[in-house]
Short mmCIF file of all heavy atoms in Angstrom, two decimals:
data_model
loop_
_atom_site.label_atom_id
_atom_site.label_comp_id
_atom_site.label_asym_id
_atom_site.label_seq_id
_atom_site.Cartn_x
_atom_site.Cartn_y
_atom_site.Cartn_z
N LEU A 51 206.35 -88.58 -82.22
CA LEU A 51 206.24 -89.75 -83.21
C LEU A 51 207.66 -90.42 -83.28
O LEU A 51 207.78 -91.62 -83.13
CB LEU A 51 205.77 -89.38 -84.54
CG LEU A 51 205.68 -90.53 -85.60
CD1 LEU A 51 204.77 -91.65 -85.04
CD2 LEU A 51 205.23 -90.01 -86.95
N GLN A 52 208.68 -89.61 -83.46
CA GLN A 52 210.02 -90.08 -83.54
C GLN A 52 210.40 -90.84 -82.28
O GLN A 52 211.06 -91.92 -82.34
CB GLN A 52 211.04 -88.99 -83.85
CG GLN A 52 210.88 -88.32 -85.13
CD GLN A 52 211.22 -89.19 -86.32
OE1 GLN A 52 212.02 -90.21 -86.19
NE2 GLN A 52 210.68 -88.91 -87.45
N ASP A 53 210.08 -90.31 -81.16
CA ASP A 53 210.47 -90.90 -79.88
C ASP A 53 209.69 -92.26 -79.67
O ASP A 53 210.31 -93.22 -79.17
CB ASP A 53 210.11 -89.97 -78.72
CG ASP A 53 211.12 -88.84 -78.55
OD1 ASP A 53 212.24 -88.89 -79.20
OD2 ASP A 53 210.93 -87.89 -77.87
N LEU A 54 208.44 -92.23 -80.10
CA LEU A 54 207.61 -93.43 -79.96
C LEU A 54 208.13 -94.56 -80.78
O LEU A 54 208.21 -95.73 -80.44
CB LEU A 54 206.16 -93.18 -80.20
CG LEU A 54 205.42 -92.28 -79.15
CD1 LEU A 54 204.03 -92.05 -79.59
CD2 LEU A 54 205.45 -92.96 -77.83
N LEU A 55 208.54 -94.21 -82.06
CA LEU A 55 209.07 -95.24 -82.97
C LEU A 55 210.46 -95.73 -82.45
O LEU A 55 210.85 -96.85 -82.80
CB LEU A 55 209.20 -94.63 -84.34
CG LEU A 55 207.83 -94.42 -85.04
CD1 LEU A 55 208.05 -93.63 -86.35
CD2 LEU A 55 207.19 -95.75 -85.27
N GLY A 56 211.23 -94.83 -81.77
CA GLY A 56 212.50 -95.29 -81.31
C GLY A 56 212.54 -95.95 -79.96
O GLY A 56 213.58 -96.42 -79.51
N LEU A 57 211.43 -95.85 -79.21
CA LEU A 57 211.30 -96.33 -77.86
C LEU A 57 211.58 -97.87 -77.79
O LEU A 57 210.82 -98.69 -78.43
CB LEU A 57 209.93 -96.07 -77.31
CG LEU A 57 209.68 -96.50 -75.89
CD1 LEU A 57 210.65 -95.81 -74.87
CD2 LEU A 57 208.23 -96.25 -75.52
N ARG A 58 212.54 -98.26 -77.14
CA ARG A 58 212.99 -99.64 -77.02
C ARG A 58 212.36 -100.25 -75.77
O ARG A 58 212.91 -99.89 -74.66
CB ARG A 58 214.47 -99.88 -77.14
CG ARG A 58 215.04 -99.52 -78.48
CD ARG A 58 216.54 -99.59 -78.58
NE ARG A 58 216.97 -100.93 -78.17
CZ ARG A 58 217.98 -101.15 -77.21
NH1 ARG A 58 218.51 -100.05 -76.68
NH2 ARG A 58 218.27 -102.32 -76.94
N ALA A 59 211.38 -101.09 -75.84
CA ALA A 59 210.64 -101.60 -74.61
C ALA A 59 211.65 -102.36 -73.68
O ALA A 59 211.52 -102.34 -72.51
CB ALA A 59 209.59 -102.51 -75.04
N GLN A 60 212.68 -102.93 -74.27
CA GLN A 60 213.61 -103.71 -73.42
C GLN A 60 214.45 -102.86 -72.49
O GLN A 60 215.13 -103.42 -71.57
CB GLN A 60 214.46 -104.56 -74.30
CG GLN A 60 215.36 -103.97 -75.34
CD GLN A 60 214.73 -103.80 -76.71
OE1 GLN A 60 213.53 -103.44 -76.83
NE2 GLN A 60 215.50 -104.22 -77.73
N VAL A 61 214.46 -101.53 -72.71
CA VAL A 61 215.36 -100.74 -71.78
C VAL A 61 214.43 -99.84 -70.83
O VAL A 61 214.94 -99.04 -70.02
CB VAL A 61 216.18 -99.78 -72.50
CG1 VAL A 61 217.21 -100.58 -73.39
CG2 VAL A 61 215.48 -98.78 -73.43
N ILE A 62 213.10 -100.12 -70.86
CA ILE A 62 212.22 -99.42 -69.89
C ILE A 62 212.42 -100.00 -68.56
O ILE A 62 212.27 -101.22 -68.35
CB ILE A 62 210.77 -99.43 -70.38
CG1 ILE A 62 210.60 -98.76 -71.61
CG2 ILE A 62 209.89 -98.77 -69.32
CD1 ILE A 62 209.21 -98.97 -72.31
N PRO A 63 212.81 -99.19 -67.53
CA PRO A 63 212.95 -99.74 -66.21
C PRO A 63 211.72 -100.41 -65.72
O PRO A 63 210.61 -99.91 -65.95
CB PRO A 63 213.30 -98.51 -65.36
CG PRO A 63 213.76 -97.54 -66.33
CD PRO A 63 213.05 -97.75 -67.63
N ARG A 64 211.90 -101.50 -64.95
CA ARG A 64 210.79 -102.25 -64.37
C ARG A 64 209.88 -101.37 -63.51
O ARG A 64 208.65 -101.53 -63.59
CB ARG A 64 211.38 -103.49 -63.58
CG ARG A 64 210.31 -104.45 -63.20
CD ARG A 64 211.00 -105.56 -62.40
NE ARG A 64 212.10 -106.18 -63.15
CZ ARG A 64 212.10 -107.41 -63.66
NH1 ARG A 64 211.09 -108.22 -63.36
NH2 ARG A 64 213.12 -107.89 -64.28
N ASP A 65 210.45 -100.48 -62.72
CA ASP A 65 209.63 -99.57 -61.88
C ASP A 65 208.70 -98.72 -62.71
O ASP A 65 207.53 -98.42 -62.37
CB ASP A 65 210.39 -98.81 -60.87
CG ASP A 65 211.33 -97.86 -61.53
OD1 ASP A 65 212.05 -98.25 -62.48
OD2 ASP A 65 211.38 -96.71 -61.01
N THR A 66 209.19 -98.28 -63.88
CA THR A 66 208.37 -97.48 -64.78
C THR A 66 207.18 -98.29 -65.35
O THR A 66 206.07 -97.89 -65.43
CB THR A 66 209.21 -96.89 -65.92
OG1 THR A 66 210.22 -96.10 -65.33
CG2 THR A 66 208.44 -96.08 -66.84
N LEU A 67 207.52 -99.59 -65.79
CA LEU A 67 206.46 -100.42 -66.17
C LEU A 67 205.42 -100.62 -65.20
O LEU A 67 204.25 -100.73 -65.49
CB LEU A 67 207.10 -101.77 -66.64
CG LEU A 67 207.92 -101.77 -67.91
CD1 LEU A 67 208.63 -103.14 -68.11
CD2 LEU A 67 207.11 -101.48 -69.16
N MET A 68 205.85 -100.89 -63.92
CA MET A 68 204.93 -101.15 -62.87
C MET A 68 204.00 -99.92 -62.58
O MET A 68 202.90 -100.12 -62.12
CB MET A 68 205.67 -101.58 -61.62
CG MET A 68 206.28 -102.96 -61.81
SD MET A 68 207.39 -103.49 -60.39
CE MET A 68 206.57 -102.89 -58.96
N ARG A 69 204.52 -98.76 -62.83
CA ARG A 69 203.74 -97.57 -62.61
C ARG A 69 202.72 -97.20 -63.67
O ARG A 69 201.64 -96.79 -63.38
CB ARG A 69 204.64 -96.30 -62.41
CG ARG A 69 205.40 -96.26 -61.15
CD ARG A 69 206.14 -95.02 -60.84
NE ARG A 69 206.24 -94.11 -61.96
CZ ARG A 69 207.35 -93.39 -62.22
NH1 ARG A 69 208.40 -93.49 -61.51
NH2 ARG A 69 207.38 -92.59 -63.26
N ILE A 70 203.13 -97.59 -65.00
CA ILE A 70 202.20 -97.30 -66.02
C ILE A 70 201.22 -98.38 -66.38
O ILE A 70 200.15 -98.15 -66.93
CB ILE A 70 202.88 -96.63 -67.26
CG1 ILE A 70 203.84 -97.73 -67.91
CG2 ILE A 70 203.56 -95.34 -66.92
CD1 ILE A 70 204.47 -97.23 -69.14
N ALA A 71 201.62 -99.62 -66.06
CA ALA A 71 200.80 -100.80 -66.41
C ALA A 71 199.36 -100.63 -65.90
O ALA A 71 198.33 -100.85 -66.73
CB ALA A 71 201.43 -102.07 -65.92
N PRO A 72 199.15 -100.26 -64.67
CA PRO A 72 197.80 -100.11 -64.17
C PRO A 72 196.99 -99.08 -64.88
O PRO A 72 195.74 -99.22 -65.11
CB PRO A 72 197.88 -99.75 -62.68
CG PRO A 72 199.29 -100.18 -62.32
CD PRO A 72 200.08 -100.03 -63.54
N LEU A 73 197.62 -98.04 -65.42
CA LEU A 73 196.92 -97.00 -66.12
C LEU A 73 196.47 -97.48 -67.51
O LEU A 73 195.26 -97.33 -67.86
CB LEU A 73 197.80 -95.78 -66.40
CG LEU A 73 198.12 -95.01 -65.16
CD1 LEU A 73 199.14 -93.91 -65.46
CD2 LEU A 73 196.86 -94.35 -64.56
N VAL A 74 197.32 -98.17 -68.24
CA VAL A 74 196.92 -98.65 -69.61
C VAL A 74 196.04 -99.83 -69.61
O VAL A 74 195.35 -100.07 -70.54
CB VAL A 74 198.14 -98.87 -70.48
CG1 VAL A 74 198.92 -97.57 -70.72
CG2 VAL A 74 199.06 -99.99 -69.96
N GLU A 75 195.97 -100.52 -68.45
CA GLU A 75 195.13 -101.67 -68.34
C GLU A 75 193.79 -101.45 -67.72
O GLU A 75 192.84 -102.19 -67.67
CB GLU A 75 195.85 -102.78 -67.48
CG GLU A 75 197.07 -103.36 -68.21
CD GLU A 75 197.97 -104.21 -67.32
OE1 GLU A 75 197.72 -104.38 -66.19
OE2 GLU A 75 199.00 -104.62 -67.88
N ASP A 76 193.56 -100.18 -67.19
CA ASP A 76 192.35 -99.75 -66.56
C ASP A 76 191.38 -99.22 -67.62
O ASP A 76 191.49 -98.15 -68.09
CB ASP A 76 192.65 -98.69 -65.54
CG ASP A 76 191.43 -98.20 -64.73
OD1 ASP A 76 190.28 -98.58 -65.14
OD2 ASP A 76 191.60 -97.49 -63.80
N SER A 77 190.45 -100.07 -67.94
CA SER A 77 189.44 -99.65 -69.11
C SER A 77 188.58 -98.48 -68.57
O SER A 77 188.05 -97.78 -69.42
CB SER A 77 188.54 -100.92 -69.44
OG SER A 77 187.82 -101.36 -68.30
N ASP A 78 188.37 -98.28 -67.29
CA ASP A 78 187.55 -97.14 -66.89
C ASP A 78 188.35 -95.83 -67.07
O ASP A 78 187.84 -94.78 -67.40
CB ASP A 78 187.21 -97.23 -65.31
CG ASP A 78 186.22 -98.39 -65.12
OD1 ASP A 78 185.43 -98.72 -66.03
OD2 ASP A 78 186.25 -98.88 -63.97
N CYS A 79 189.69 -95.92 -66.82
CA CYS A 79 190.51 -94.78 -67.00
C CYS A 79 190.86 -94.39 -68.41
O CYS A 79 190.74 -93.29 -68.84
CB CYS A 79 191.92 -94.99 -66.23
SG CYS A 79 193.07 -93.67 -66.34
N LEU A 80 191.29 -95.47 -69.21
CA LEU A 80 191.72 -95.17 -70.61
C LEU A 80 190.93 -96.09 -71.64
O LEU A 80 191.58 -96.47 -72.57
CB LEU A 80 193.21 -95.42 -70.67
CG LEU A 80 194.08 -94.45 -69.89
CD1 LEU A 80 195.56 -94.80 -70.02
CD2 LEU A 80 193.86 -93.06 -70.31
N GLY A 81 189.81 -96.40 -71.32
CA GLY A 81 188.95 -97.27 -72.20
C GLY A 81 188.57 -96.49 -73.47
O GLY A 81 188.81 -95.32 -73.61
N PRO A 82 187.91 -97.15 -74.35
CA PRO A 82 187.50 -96.55 -75.68
C PRO A 82 186.65 -95.25 -75.46
O PRO A 82 186.65 -94.43 -76.39
CB PRO A 82 186.74 -97.68 -76.39
CG PRO A 82 187.16 -98.96 -75.78
CD PRO A 82 187.54 -98.56 -74.30
N ASP A 83 185.85 -95.18 -74.41
CA ASP A 83 184.97 -94.10 -74.27
C ASP A 83 185.60 -93.03 -73.43
O ASP A 83 184.85 -92.07 -73.03
CB ASP A 83 183.68 -94.60 -73.61
CG ASP A 83 182.93 -95.56 -74.53
OD1 ASP A 83 183.03 -95.47 -75.74
OD2 ASP A 83 182.30 -96.44 -74.04
N ALA A 84 186.83 -93.15 -73.04
CA ALA A 84 187.48 -92.16 -72.14
C ALA A 84 187.82 -90.86 -72.79
O ALA A 84 187.95 -89.88 -72.15
CB ALA A 84 188.80 -92.74 -71.56
N PHE A 85 187.79 -90.87 -74.11
CA PHE A 85 188.23 -89.64 -74.80
C PHE A 85 187.09 -89.16 -75.78
O PHE A 85 186.38 -89.94 -76.32
CB PHE A 85 189.45 -89.89 -75.67
CG PHE A 85 190.59 -90.40 -74.92
CD1 PHE A 85 190.99 -91.77 -74.99
CD2 PHE A 85 191.38 -89.63 -73.99
CE1 PHE A 85 192.07 -92.27 -74.31
CE2 PHE A 85 192.42 -90.07 -73.33
CZ PHE A 85 192.75 -91.47 -73.41
N SER A 86 187.05 -87.79 -75.88
CA SER A 86 186.06 -87.27 -76.80
C SER A 86 186.76 -86.03 -77.41
O SER A 86 187.83 -85.57 -77.02
CB SER A 86 184.81 -86.82 -76.09
OG SER A 86 185.05 -85.84 -75.12
N GLY A 87 186.15 -85.44 -78.39
CA GLY A 87 186.74 -84.23 -79.09
C GLY A 87 187.57 -84.60 -80.27
O GLY A 87 187.66 -85.81 -80.68
N PRO A 88 188.18 -83.57 -80.84
CA PRO A 88 188.89 -83.80 -82.12
C PRO A 88 190.13 -84.75 -82.07
O PRO A 88 190.52 -85.23 -83.08
CB PRO A 88 189.26 -82.42 -82.53
CG PRO A 88 189.33 -81.61 -81.13
CD PRO A 88 188.25 -82.23 -80.31
N PHE A 89 190.66 -84.90 -80.86
CA PHE A 89 191.88 -85.80 -80.78
C PHE A 89 191.59 -87.12 -80.12
O PHE A 89 192.48 -87.85 -79.77
CB PHE A 89 192.92 -85.00 -79.98
CG PHE A 89 193.26 -83.73 -80.60
CD1 PHE A 89 192.89 -82.56 -79.98
CD2 PHE A 89 194.00 -83.68 -81.81
CE1 PHE A 89 193.26 -81.35 -80.57
CE2 PHE A 89 194.32 -82.52 -82.39
CZ PHE A 89 193.92 -81.26 -81.74
N ALA A 90 190.24 -87.51 -80.00
CA ALA A 90 189.95 -88.68 -79.32
C ALA A 90 190.54 -89.88 -80.01
O ALA A 90 191.12 -90.77 -79.32
CB ALA A 90 188.41 -88.84 -79.26
N GLU A 91 190.45 -90.01 -81.28
CA GLU A 91 190.96 -91.22 -82.01
C GLU A 91 192.50 -91.26 -81.84
O GLU A 91 193.10 -92.39 -81.62
CB GLU A 91 190.54 -91.16 -83.49
CG GLU A 91 190.89 -92.44 -84.22
CD GLU A 91 190.15 -93.65 -83.55
OE1 GLU A 91 189.00 -93.44 -83.15
OE2 GLU A 91 190.81 -94.76 -83.63
N ALA A 92 193.14 -90.17 -81.88
CA ALA A 92 194.64 -90.15 -81.78
C ALA A 92 195.05 -90.60 -80.31
O ALA A 92 195.93 -91.36 -80.13
CB ALA A 92 195.25 -88.74 -82.01
N LEU A 93 194.22 -90.12 -79.33
CA LEU A 93 194.49 -90.61 -78.01
C LEU A 93 194.25 -92.04 -77.77
O LEU A 93 195.05 -92.74 -77.03
CB LEU A 93 193.75 -89.67 -76.98
CG LEU A 93 194.23 -88.25 -76.98
CD1 LEU A 93 193.28 -87.40 -76.15
CD2 LEU A 93 195.62 -88.14 -76.39
N ARG A 94 193.16 -92.53 -78.40
CA ARG A 94 192.87 -93.98 -78.33
C ARG A 94 193.99 -94.79 -78.93
O ARG A 94 194.40 -95.80 -78.30
CB ARG A 94 191.58 -94.32 -79.02
CG ARG A 94 190.33 -93.92 -78.15
CD ARG A 94 189.09 -94.57 -78.90
NE ARG A 94 187.96 -93.65 -78.61
CZ ARG A 94 187.49 -92.69 -79.29
NH1 ARG A 94 188.02 -92.36 -80.48
NH2 ARG A 94 186.50 -91.95 -78.90
N SER A 95 194.52 -94.33 -79.98
CA SER A 95 195.65 -95.03 -80.63
C SER A 95 196.90 -94.98 -79.85
O SER A 95 197.67 -95.98 -79.73
CB SER A 95 195.97 -94.41 -81.99
OG SER A 95 194.89 -94.60 -82.89
N LEU A 96 197.12 -93.86 -79.11
CA LEU A 96 198.28 -93.77 -78.22
C LEU A 96 198.15 -94.72 -77.08
O LEU A 96 199.10 -95.39 -76.64
CB LEU A 96 198.40 -92.30 -77.72
CG LEU A 96 199.50 -92.04 -76.74
CD1 LEU A 96 200.88 -92.37 -77.44
CD2 LEU A 96 199.46 -90.53 -76.23
#
Side-chain angles (χ1 to χ4, degrees):
L51 178 61
Q52 294 292 337
D53 285 344
L54 292 174
L55 289 172
L57 180 63
R58 295 176 54 233
Q60 60 267 49
V61 299
I62 298 174
R64 191 178 305 246
D65 64 315
T66 301
L67 290 171
M68 289 174 39
R69 287 190 348 222
I70 62 173
L73 292 174
V74 298
E75 294 168 359
D76 183 350
S77 61
D78 291 334
C79 177
L80 296 176
D83 298 328
F85 304 107
S86 61
F89 303 109
E91 190 59 36
L93 291 171
R94 282 188 208 95
S95 295
L96 181 59

